[in-house]
Amino acid sequence: MKRMLTVLAVVISAAVVQVATADVAETKSTLSGGVLTLDVKSGDTLNYTQPINDVTAIVKNGDGKAYLKLGDTLSTFSGTVTVNAGIVGADTPKNWGKPSRVDVKSGASFDLALANGMTANPENLRQVPFYIAGPGASGTVGALFRGAGLGGNVCEHLVEKITLSGDAAVGSSSGRIACNGTVWDLQQHTLTVNGGIYFEGGSFSNPGHVILEKGGAYFDYGFKFNGSAANTLTFKNTAFIEHWSYSGTCNWTVNVEGSDQQHGQDVSALHGMPVKGEGHA
């Protein structure tokens, strides 16, 4: 049975128990020693509405969902956010301060569906470095993803720097995420794209491998792959290029499952990138 809770106050406790590897027994918020811990058990949704001033860190445990719905309430938060399990999201991000970093652990997710209006808000997610790993929480398409709930088709100008702390998946299940100028520091890990990611400008640094698992991907506006033929871009049978106007130089190797035309256009013509797979040497 699913439950939704709105938190109007926090519980002050002498101890904080952080559960990173298992679901929690009870849904609650706890503030202790400057650490705001959001424990949300599977099937529950916790809507946190209080200012997060005098908080040095936010920790999310449990397989449920926690959303920071602060509206017009300004916060001075500048600490770290750690998502150990389940899903975390935030609306009007300028009002939850400016976290120093967000860590999404393997098996957890950060939902961008509520994070709109990025361009107009200098104190928001765009300047916050994200560190992600894993396939995402159960029922999502990635450690960083866009779920349902955001109006329109575009989630623009989101995060400037995304670092993979392990192999990780990203994607959108509702519209697209336009990563304008985002630097993807792959740390030689594998990034799996589950549709809806627009690589507009920006680059891959410390490249490893990229798998287009399903849905459409978009490369445009001078995106820089960097790396060499040792790095691979793999098109799965259910993936395609939604748009390609890439004008840079790319030495990556492209692996194709299925025919070129199945992927939206002739991927063998992608600016001289060596292609392997069906019909290719």
Side-chain angles (χ1 to χ4, degrees), residues 75-279:
S75 295
T76 59
F77 178 66
S78 61
T80 60
V81 178
T82 302
V83 189
N84 286 320
I87 298 171
V88 167
D91 70 343
T92 321
K94 70 174 181 177
N95 292 343
W96 60 295
K98 185 180 178 182
S100 59
R101 64 184 283 164
V102 175
D103 283 281
V104 182
K105 304 298 186 180
S106 183
S109 294
F110 193 98
D111 186 357
L112 296 167
L114 297 176
N116 204 2
M118 295 295 100
T119 307
N121 301 332
E123 299 295 326
N124 57 37
L125 288 179
R126 184 154 178 78
Q127 288 81 36
V128 179
F130 270 71
Y131 295 79
I132 64 173
S138 176
T140 72
V141 292
L144 193 63
F145 80 108
R146 172 183 169 174
L150 180 65
N153 187 44
V154 181
C155 204
E156 292 274 10
H157 299 282
L158 281 173
V159 182
E160 283 185 342
K161 181 72 176 292
I162 300 172
T163 300
L164 270 60
S165 49
D167 293 347
V170 296
S172 176
S173 55
S174 174
R176 73 178 191 241
I177 301 173
C179 298
N180 308 71
T182 300
V183 175
W184 299 78
D185 188 350
L186 301 186
Q187 291 289 309
Q188 302 180 21
H189 295 299
T190 296
L191 175 69
T192 298
V193 179
N194 289 316
I197 303 296
Y198 277 38
F199 298 94
E200 298 181 323
S203 64
F204 291 135
S205 65
N206 297 310
H209 308 282
V210 175
I211 298 173
L212 303 181
E213 182 68 33
K214 61 183 178 181
Y218 177 115
F219 292 93
D220 205 348
Y221 302 118
F223 186 85
K224 293 180 173 60
F225 279 82
N226 299 316
S228 68
N231 306 113
T232 60
L233 175 64
T234 299
F235 290 81
K236 295 290 189 177
N237 284 328
T238 54
F240 61 92
I241 293 179
E242 185 172 344
H243 179 74
W244 180 280
S245 61
Y246 178 70
S247 59
T249 299
C250 180
N251 297 318
W252 287 34
T253 296
V254 178
N255 299 311
V256 179
E257 295 184 2
S259 67
D260 290 343
Q261 284 69 30
Q262 181 178 343
H263 302 286
Q265 63 179 347
D266 185 356
V267 298
S268 64
L270 298 186
H271 297 272
M273 299 165 73
V275 177
K276 297 179 181 179
E278 295 183 21

Side-chain angles (χ1 to χ4, degrees), residues 21-32:
T21 58
D23 197 16
V24 295
E26 179 185 0
T27 295
K28 62 181 179 179
S29 65
T30 306
L31 180 61
S32 177

Side-chain angles (χ1 to χ4, degrees), residues 51-73:
I52 47 178
N53 303 317
D54 302 319
V55 174
T56 58
I58 298 174
V59 177
K60 163 64 171 63
N61 298 318
D63 295 334
K65 303 175 183 178
Y67 291 101
L68 301 173
K69 292 190 173 182
L70 306 180
D72 294 327
T73 303

